Amino acid sequence: MSLKINELCVNCDVCEPACPNQAIAQGESIYVIDPARCTECVGHYDEPQCVMVCPVECIDKDPEYVETETQLLDKLRRLQQE
């Protein structure tokens, strides 16, 4: 499952560099997570790093992108081949 940044985001800039898959970018008004690149840090860390560093707890699971751990690992392998 991809993660999603909600409207509580204060644009503090700490999540973007924490993402090992470069899935986070500045959007129009808040940061956004690209579901095609987000693996919830599976294959890199035990916990999503953006969630760990977020000072306002504005990152949730995105119910539109439900994926198993196996699917997330497959996505990571595809990203690493790019």
Side-chain angles (χ1 to χ4, degrees):
M1 179 177 285
S2 177
L3 298 173
K4 183 176 185 174
I5 298 173
N6 67 43
E7 67 279 349
L8 297 176
C9 177
V10 295
N11 293 306
C12 67
D13 303 320
V14 298
C15 62
E16 184 180 20
C19 180
N21 296 321
Q22 300 171 332
I24 302 174
Q26 179 64 49
E28 275 190 45
S29 58
I30 61 173
Y31 277 87
V32 294
I33 297 176
D34 179 354
R37 298 192 67 82
C38 179
T39 63
E40 293 187 51
C41 292
V42 169
H44 290 286
Y45 302 102
D46 291 334
E47 297 182 52
Q49 296 302 286
C50 59
V51 173
M52 297 293 298
V53 299
C54 181
V56 294
E57 299 179 8
C58 68
I59 304 171
D60 305 308
K61 290 187 181 283
D62 189 340
E64 293 185 32
Y65 297 96
V66 178
E67 298 168 294
T68 65
E69 185 170 341
T70 301
Q71 290 171 313
L72 292 171
L73 283 169
D74 288 343
K75 185 191 302 185
L76 175 61
R77 286 186 198 99
R78 285 191 306 274
L79 290 170
Q80 290 174 333
Q81 291 175 354
E82 292 178 0

